[in-house]
Amino acid sequence: MRHRIPPTHPRAKSLIIREKLVGGFSKGIVVPEGLIAHGRGEAFDYLLGEKTTKYAYEAEIVAVCSLLLSNKSIISVNGNTAALCAKELVNLGNITKSKIEVNLFHKSMARSKAIARILKKENLGEVLGLNTKSRTAIKGISSNRKYVDKNGIMTSDTVLVALEDGDRTESLVKIGKNVISIDLNPLSRTAIASNVTIVDNIVRAIPNMIKISRELVNSDRSYLLRQIKNFDNIQNMNKSLKMMRRGI
Ligand code: PTJ
């Protein structure tokens, strides 16, 4: 870490997250745009009281049920998510048997390799998204996010995305993927287009989902399906929005 954050500082948690991103930027993992994106997320998080709401937790339960029920689930990793919670993403992937694919908006092979290195350091066996031979493109996406792995996102049934742009989320849903997103902005196109939207900070959402996965991994399929059936994503997002209004 570049700067030591005094643990007694009232904003210590938030400052440590910033330092992680700045560290990720120095190592070539995070793009400058990622720092700006984080600032937007922080503003929404402030309105939530920087806590996981009960609605976000409900969405996290449903997201885990979807991952556990999927035949081929994939966690999509970008610069910010790798810098903030590489270890936890690998952990969640292991428990839910989800593969991990690097997918970047601001694409660069050097950055993909740097992200793959930190995932491997967390003992991830296979990192998808780097092999140009198995690369294919999703139609209808103008950005470099369209490039996905034939053996990963392209042939998956469920995709977990975080800090994502709306274009790819909409396209993934259009081609029949079940999309789970983690996005602090409940008004974003990603949040609106997703099948399950988690309005929470990724640094809280992923550890919560690890805990939930451990609790649910041996549950009956019928129990998992029931949780999904009883969930209304739009209603849940509106409740998060109401909490933010109350925050103001
Ligand atoms: O590493 P790359 O090249 O793939 O680029 C990643 C960024 C983040 C730059 C790119 O995906 C981007 O520009 O994202 P957007 O369109 O700014 O969207 C990011 C969304 O994530 C916004 O709605 C933010 O509110 C939200 N967000 C930011 N930080 C967090 C967050 N959501 C959850 N947890 C956060 N920590």
Side-chain angles (χ1 to χ4, degrees):
M1 234 183 268
R2 277 165 64 252
H3 300 109
R4 197 189 83 83
I5 310 293
T8 49
H9 190 286
R11 306 275 317 141
K13 262 195 198 165
S14 167
L15 296 176
I16 289 168
I17 295 172
R18 283 187 181 180
E19 279 302 305
K20 275 194 184 177
L21 285 168
V22 173
F25 172 68
S26 312
K27 287 184 206 142
I29 290 166
V30 175
V31 279
E33 292 83 349
L35 304 178
I36 299 169
H38 182 74
R40 185 194 293 174
E42 273 187 347
F44 285 106
D45 206 14
Y46 203 78
L47 299 178
L48 286 176
E50 295 169 320
K51 285 197 291 262
T52 300
T53 65
K54 73 174 194 177
Y55 308 115
Y57 201 76
E58 276 170 24
E60 284 158 11
I61 293 174
V62 172
V64 167
C65 292
S66 286
L67 291 175
L68 292 174
L69 282 171
S70 297
N71 291 320
K72 191 172 172 189
S73 50
I74 307 279
I75 301 174
S76 181
V77 172
N78 65 21
N80 285 48
T81 59
L84 290 177
C85 46
K87 183 180 179 168
E88 292 79 4
L89 289 166
V90 172
N91 207 336
L92 180 66
N94 285 337
I95 310 172
T96 60
K97 295 194 171 63
S98 306
K99 292 192 173 188
I100 294 193
E101 179 164 336
V102 177
N103 178 279
L104 304 177
F105 185 80
H106 304 281
K107 208 166 183 61
S108 110
M109 190 44 96
R111 201 153 64 89
S112 295
K113 283 185 179 163
I115 293 171
R117 264 197 304 277
I118 66 161
L119 292 168
K120 293 231 171 199
K121 224 165 127 189
E122 301 301 341
N123 294 322
L124 179 64
E126 185 189 23
V127 186
L128 295 163
L130 277 85
N131 184 350
T132 47
K133 283 189 191 137
S134 56
R135 180 188 283 175
T136 182
I138 300 176
K139 285 198 187 101
I141 306 177
S142 53
S143 77
N144 278 332
R145 274 212 197 280
K146 67 179 166 216
Y147 296 113
V148 293
D149 201 305
K150 274 185 209 159
N151 306 312
I153 289 171
M154 200 54 163
T155 45
S156 65
D157 48 5
T158 297
V159 191
L160 170 64
V161 298
L163 283 85
E164 180 72 19
D165 66 287
D167 266 14
R168 189 168 72 131
T169 308
E170 285 169 359
S171 297
L172 286 171
V173 171
K174 225 180 254 170
I175 61 169
K177 309 293 177 198
N178 178 36
V179 179
I180 300 165
S181 66
I182 303 173
D183 191 334
L184 277 161
N185 177 6
L187 301 169
S188 75
R189 279 188 305 136
T190 289
I192 293 164
S194 301
N195 301 91
V196 181
T197 307
I198 298 169
V199 183
D200 199 2
N201 197 317
I202 188 167
V203 301
R204 295 188 300 268
I206 300 293
N208 286 344
M209 289 170 74
I210 292 172
K211 176 177 164 279
I212 297 165
S213 302
R214 289 202 179 109
E215 288 163 3
L216 295 184
V217 71
N218 294 318
S219 300
D220 289 346
R221 284 180 71 83
S222 57
Y223 175 81
L224 303 177
L225 277 167
R226 219 167 31 248
Q227 307 311 305
I228 297 172
K229 209 174 144 231
N230 292 339
F231 180 75
D232 183 326
N233 196 47
I234 298 289
Q235 218 176 65
N236 184 279
M237 270 196 308
N238 282 336
K239 285 176 182 164
S240 293
L241 206 51
K242 253 191 201 156
M243 299 269 312
M244 286 182 180
R245 263 189 235 128
R246 236 180 275 156
I248 295 170

